[in-house]
Amino acid sequence: MHSLLAALAFTTVWTGIALAQVKPAADLIVSNGKVWTVDKNRPRAEAVAVIGNRIVAVGTSAEIDAWRGARTRIVDAQGKLVLPGFNDAHVHFVSGGMQLDNVDLKDAATPEEFAKRIGERARITSKGEWILGGDWDDQGWSPPRLPTKEMIDGVTPQTPVFVDRYDGHMALANSVALKLAGVTAKTPDPPGGTIVRDAEGNPTGVLKDAAKSYVEKLIPPLTHARRLRAVKRALELAASVGVTSVQDMNPEYEDVMVYSELLDKGELTARIYAAPPIAGWQDQAKIGIRRAFGSSALRLGALKGYADGSLGSTTAYFFKPYNDAPNTRGLLSSDMHPISKMRDRMLKADAAGLQLCVHAIGDQAISMILDLFGEVARVHGNADRRFRIEHAQHMAAKDFARFARQKVIASVQPYHAIDDGRWAEKRIGAERIKTTYAFRTFLEDGVRLALGTDWFVAPLNPMLTIYAAVTRATLDGKNPEGWVPEQKLSVAQAVEAYTMGSAYAEFQEREKGSITPGKLADMVMLSDDIFRIDPRAIREVKVETTIAGGKVVYGE
Ligand SMILES: [Zn+2]
């Protein structure tokens, strides 16, 4: 008996030693941080241990030090704030990357600089590719004057150029592009457009509004190489601002092919959930792709539809007319003509197990989509569908409760609030702005928020989104205390919506969204503690290190 106990005791000790010896070393440790985990079970910590692409332990620096091995990479956070990686729930990733990849003319301060930048671009542009984008601003030149094809013809003898003014209402073509388009002194101005001409009546290269289509229709579709370059630029930017997951709205299928190619090469540094247009719902349905199908790096299974337009163009669809355009209350999108088409697609897509994300901005458009979502749920019975309304900008007060009851996710972009907030009241009046970008009311009514930017429409940088959500200070500086300040979020609410909220919106809340053992090791380290500093300073905060899947993809 005695010897048996001794043997047992011995065994226990021995097993303990053995366990200690086989406990694997971490590949990466983040230590000495102020870790804000977004995990209610352990809201704060100092350090995180990672093996492979997963978090294995979260604790004090001393506790986590036990995971240190000879080859463990240590990221010393030096007391800085560590958060889960940001998950942007609504981006247009390739358009954003294209914008980064295009020639940048916005701050070209003279015609010479304008020509120099186009010439430099022409030298690295392959045959057949166009020089596009640009966003030039002739008002920045002294004296202001429209650019001409002569300014750039010398540096672009073979490359077609069609560069936009920043407002999108005019563009400059060079002689190569005009020749391809067949635009000459004899070409008439089209209805709604102007060909700018010199004293002899010859086109100067600038085409206004409808005249742009003479050249636009010749611009070839994106080449694979160009698309690949755009995605790489987008991934680089995402890593530099701490975005480790994006939900890509309306990608072309070729975009998904590029993501897949980069994934295969180990170069996909942000996780992507792709939501192609609802019109193509059968493409995913016919091969059995369902919501959140794929790997932690690349998923499909969502669809993006449109209910209406935008506030800026007075096409968001409201119950009542616009205050500054009383003859209209907006327009339903082509997806909604007729509404039975949207209903039919939704029902079929839902039957196929696909997730529905619908752009709806005006109060009536939102209401109609809630009606349709309700109908789908009634017809097909309860399920964990996570219907989403993208933007959800202008709510009818009566709709918050059912938004929550129907468990619809509000996928919102706070930066739009500080942008549109400059002029929205003039457009929709004092009453309707109370339920505009109503982030706080959504949360109080039990609606789940997912945060994003709509990049390229707004900047991808999450610090600007958080700044917008917590200050609601409009970009014109006229509302320093906040525009509709009762709708401000706290920093904690904004961070949670941008991490767990967005993860939930893509069925990934068990995989990411918090710094929790077992989850994917996606983390960011910030230059300043956004919970402590003056909220007005949040927009200056930088991401110092971004870790995606246990790899440092930006910073030290
Ligand atoms: Zn969008």
Side-chain angles (χ1 to χ4, degrees):
M1 210 45 197
H2 180 83
S3 62
L4 181 59
L5 277 175
L8 277 173
F10 174 79
T11 309
T12 308
V13 169
W14 185 84
T15 311
I17 292 165
L19 277 177
Q21 283 170 341
V22 298
K23 178 172 162 181
D27 295 315
L28 177 103
I29 285 176
V30 177
S31 65
N32 302 317
K34 272 195 242 170
V35 183
W36 181 278
T37 64
V38 194
D39 179 345
K40 287 181 178 64
N41 295 317
R42 179 162 199 159
R44 313 286 181 89
E46 293 168 357
V48 184
V50 174
I51 294 180
N53 65 352
R54 299 269 168 185
I55 294 165
V56 290
V58 178
T60 63
S61 290
E63 283 163 357
I64 297 305
D65 203 52
W67 290 83
R68 185 194 288 250
R71 283 194 297 274
T72 303
R73 176 167 185 182
I74 309 289
V75 175
D76 183 351
Q78 298 177 319
K80 289 185 174 157
L81 183 66
V82 177
L83 297 174
F86 292 103
N87 183 338
D88 193 314
H90 187 124
V91 298
H92 302 279
F93 209 56
V94 172
S95 310
M98 281 297 295
Q99 197 182 51
L100 294 172
D101 195 48
N102 280 334
V103 61
D104 180 6
L105 302 171
K106 187 140 200 191
D107 61 351
T110 61
E112 292 70 35
E113 178 64 19
F114 177 85
K116 181 171 156 256
R117 291 190 191 179
I118 290 174
E120 279 164 4
R121 179 52 64 117
R123 281 200 295 279
I124 56 165
T125 299
S126 29
K127 197 169 171 345
E129 239 179 52
W130 285 56
I131 297 179
L132 300 168
D135 298 327
W136 46 268
D137 181 8
D138 50 302
Q139 295 300 314
W141 298 351
S142 56
R145 61 177 172 129
L146 286 179
T148 63
K149 64 184 190 315
E150 284 76 21
M151 285 179 189
I152 57 172
D153 276 347
V155 291
T156 55
Q158 273 143 30
T159 314
V161 177
F162 198 50
V163 285
D164 294 308
R165 187 169 194 267
Y166 74 94
D167 64 359
H169 287 285
M170 345 179 175
L172 174 71
N174 67 349
S175 289
V176 178
L178 287 180
K179 193 165 174 215
L180 285 170
V183 172
T184 65
K186 296 197 191 88
T187 311
D189 288 355
T194 308
I195 298 170
V196 177
R197 300 166 200 264
D198 64 17
E200 284 78 51
N202 294 310
T204 66
V206 172
L207 304 178
K208 292 188 177 179
D209 291 310
K212 286 168 56 187
S213 67
Y214 284 136
V215 174
E216 267 166 357
K217 60 177 188 256
L218 298 168
I219 297 169
L222 271 188
T223 61
H224 179 76
R226 192 99 199 258
R227 202 181 296 270
L228 188 64
R229 216 160 66 210
V231 173
K232 285 182 175 177
R233 294 291 299 265
L235 288 168
E236 247 172 64
L237 176 68
S240 73
V241 295
V243 172
T244 53
S245 291
V246 294
Q247 301 179 39
D248 191 24
M249 298 291 139
N250 310 96
E252 293 176 14
Y253 294 149
E254 291 83 354
D255 300 345
V256 181
M257 288 169 74
V258 167
Y259 303 151
S260 165
E261 184 183 327
L262 288 171
L263 172 61
D264 196 44
K265 290 194 216 153
E267 293 172 22
L268 194 69
T269 50
R271 306 180 192 285
I272 298 180
Y273 185 38
I278 193 167
W281 69 270
Q282 296 103 322
D283 296 334
Q284 297 188 70
K286 71 188 172 198
I287 50 170
I289 287 175
R290 301 170 69 85
R291 55 185 79 98
F293 173 92
S295 73
S296 61
L298 179 56
R299 292 181 189 275
L300 281 162
L303 294 166
K304 166 81 182 306
Y306 282 89
D308 63 348
S310 72
L311 189 69
S313 57
T314 57
T315 49
Y317 192 64
F318 283 90
F319 285 108
K320 296 199 175 118
Y322 285 92
N323 293 43
D324 63 347
N327 56 338
T328 181
R329 51 194 188 92
L331 289 172
L332 288 174
S333 74
S334 59
D335 281 349
M336 297 285 275
H337 288 294
I339 292 163
S340 58
K341 180 170 79 179
M342 181 66 105
R343 181 189 296 115
D344 182 60
R345 281 175 176 167
M346 280 185 172
L347 282 164
K348 287 174 173 155
D350 184 70
L354 292 158
Q355 186 185 16
L356 296 170
C357 315
V358 182
H359 163 121
I361 289 184
D363 54 15
Q364 189 168 5
I366 295 169
S367 224
M368 291 169 86
I369 295 303
L370 290 173
D371 289 345
L372 289 170
F373 282 165
E375 208 174 320
V376 171
R378 266 193 307 280
V379 174
H380 292 161
N382 284 333
D384 185 11
R385 297 189 168 84
R386 308 195 190 180
F387 286 141
R388 299 165 52 151
I389 290 186
E390 302 300 318
H391 312 303
Q393 273 173 217
H394 311 283
M395 287 285 294
K398 66 180 171 75
D399 277 333
F400 285 102
R402 66 166 175 153
F403 209 114
R405 203 167 51 239
Q406 292 181 203
K407 298 190 167 69
V408 177
I409 294 160
S411 170
V412 299
Q413 300 81 34
Y415 190 88
H416 289 339
I418 62 171
D419 194 348
D420 296 4
R422 291 173 298 160
W423 44 263
E425 184 166 353
K426 177 173 57 103
R427 182 141 292 178
I428 56 173
E431 193 52 34
R432 284 186 287 194
I433 64 161
K434 290 182 193 158
T435 49
T436 282
Y437 297 107
F439 311 138
R440 172 72 65 145
T441 307
F442 274 129
L443 284 184
E444 284 169 357
D445 284 22
V447 174
R448 284 182 189 262
L449 290 183
L451 255 56
T453 58
D454 208 7
W455 185 60
F456 67 100
V457 183
L460 185 64
N461 182 354
M463 292 305 115
L464 297 177
T465 300
I466 294 174
Y467 164 81
V470 305
T471 69
R472 293 181 72 99
T474 50
L475 295 175
D476 57 9
K478 291 191 180 151
N479 297 275
E481 300 312 313
W483 177 70
V484 199
E486 14 350 315
Q487 295 295 347
K488 285 180 190 175
L489 295 182
S490 69
V491 175
Q493 286 170 329
V495 167
E496 181 170 3
Y498 224 149
T499 52
M500 279 304 281
S502 296
Y504 182 84
E506 56 159 329
F507 293 88
Q508 296 303 300
E509 73 282 5
R510 290 200 194 88
E511 284 289 279
K512 59 192 182 187
S514 66
I515 298 176
T516 302
K519 282 194 172 180
L520 293 161
D522 300 347
M523 292 175 271
V524 295
M525 198 173 97
L526 302 184
S527 60
D528 299 273
D529 183 348
I530 57 175
F531 295 97
R532 292 268 176 94
I533 60 174
D534 181 338
R536 286 173 296 186
I538 292 174
R539 61 180 157 173
E540 317 296 341
V541 171
K542 298 279 178 277
V543 165
E544 297 202 334
T545 305
T546 303
I547 296 167
K551 291 201 177 75
V552 176
V553 295
Y554 177 77
E556 64 159 306

